[in-house]
Amino acid sequence: MGLALSRVLLPFLSSKIFSVDLFPKQLENMMCLVSRTGRHLQRYDRGCRLVVGCIPYRYRETCVDGDLKEEIEVLLISAQNGHGMQFPKGGWEIDESMEQAASRETLEEAGVVGKVESKLGTWNYKSKRQATVHEGYMFPLLVKKQLEDWPEKNIRKRRWLSVAEAKEVCPHAWMKEALDVLVSRQSQVKQK
């Protein structure tokens, strides 16, 4: 059921025609029931597990010396073991594109949907559980909707943080580097 929902609903939810205002509560409740599990559909390359994730972000208006400024906030989630905060990520499976996997993982782990933007980069990192290396691809996701219920709600906490706060609480250097790329990219867009 979860597999079918993710194949049918995620492309719709991520599309440009999707309207947050038209997001029916019944659909939100349906898709929040199941998270994919297991490794039988995982992609590997030369023994490396391929992992995709997102940096969910939004803009918050702040007043600095009487001027309104937009500040990026990012959403971090608790690790499964409850130690530390990180960005949503997980295995890239054989039946989905990289962007679909990133969107699915973000929905399952953080309970947000939005627009997956162009890849921030690729990082190699060592697994904490096994003596293997993972290849991680990170994408920015501009959040359009934060769900009240989501598949991993009972095992994860989520927190919106400033970029500086996120860098303090996230223990993974590769995720901090991905965040730096996002911030740099957004600064360049604003200067144009």
Side-chain angles (χ1 to χ4, degrees):
M1 179 75 158
L3 180 61
L5 285 174
S6 67
R7 282 187 184 156
V8 173
L9 293 177
L10 277 176
F12 168 73
L13 294 174
S14 302
S15 72
K16 291 179 181 169
I17 60 169
F18 168 70
S19 168
V20 175
D21 296 333
L22 298 177
F23 196 68
K25 186 68 174 165
Q26 297 85 349
L27 182 60
E28 182 178 316
N29 289 336
M30 271 180 40
M31 63 179 227
C32 291
L33 298 176
V34 182
S35 183
R36 282 188 175 192
T37 58
R39 299 255 166 110
H40 61 285
L41 295 176
Q42 297 286 287
R43 290 181 193 243
Y44 291 84
D45 182 24
R46 293 167 285 166
C48 285
R49 182 169 169 239
L50 303 181
V51 172
V52 294
C54 283
I55 298 178
Y57 76 97
R58 67 184 181 189
Y59 291 99
R60 188 185 79 185
E61 285 190 352
T62 59
C63 187
V64 178
D65 298 329
D67 292 329
L68 276 180
K69 294 187 177 196
E70 284 189 332
E71 179 181 287
I72 293 177
E73 284 186 317
V74 293
L75 183 66
L76 279 84
I77 58 168
S78 59
Q80 269 188 324
N81 62 12
H83 302 296
M85 301 290 284
Q86 64 188 23
F87 295 113
K89 64 162 181 51
W92 175 18
E93 299 187 354
I94 58 175
D95 64 337
E96 58 193 352
S97 71
M98 206 181 286
E99 292 82 0
Q100 288 170 329
S103 182
R104 175 184 52 77
E105 286 294 338
T106 304
L107 169 67
E108 289 175 357
E109 295 183 354
V112 294
V113 293
K115 180 180 182 238
V116 175
E117 299 171 346
S118 61
K119 185 170 64 172
L120 295 168
T122 305
W123 288 266
N124 290 313
Y125 66 97
K126 189 178 177 312
S127 170
K128 287 193 172 197
R129 294 185 191 161
Q130 305 160 350
T132 61
V133 174
H134 298 315
E135 188 170 280
Y137 302 88
M138 291 297 283
F139 295 84
L141 181 132
L142 179 57
V143 174
K144 295 183 180 183
K145 174 81 174 168
Q146 182 170 313
L147 307 176
E148 291 178 32
D149 296 300
W150 68 96
E152 297 186 18
K153 177 181 181 177
N154 293 328
I155 59 173
R156 301 214 191 249
K157 293 181 176 24
R158 61 184 178 191
R159 267 178 63 196
W160 286 101
L161 299 169
S162 71
V163 170
E165 292 168 328
K167 286 182 170 184
E168 284 181 33
V169 300
C170 182
H172 306 295
W174 71 278
M175 287 187 174
K176 293 178 189 182
E177 288 177 21
L179 181 54
D180 286 339
V181 174
L182 172 62
V183 170
S184 174
R185 187 184 289 177
Q186 296 305 320
S187 306
Q188 291 171 0
V189 168
K190 284 189 175 189
Q191 289 176 358
K192 290 182 179 180

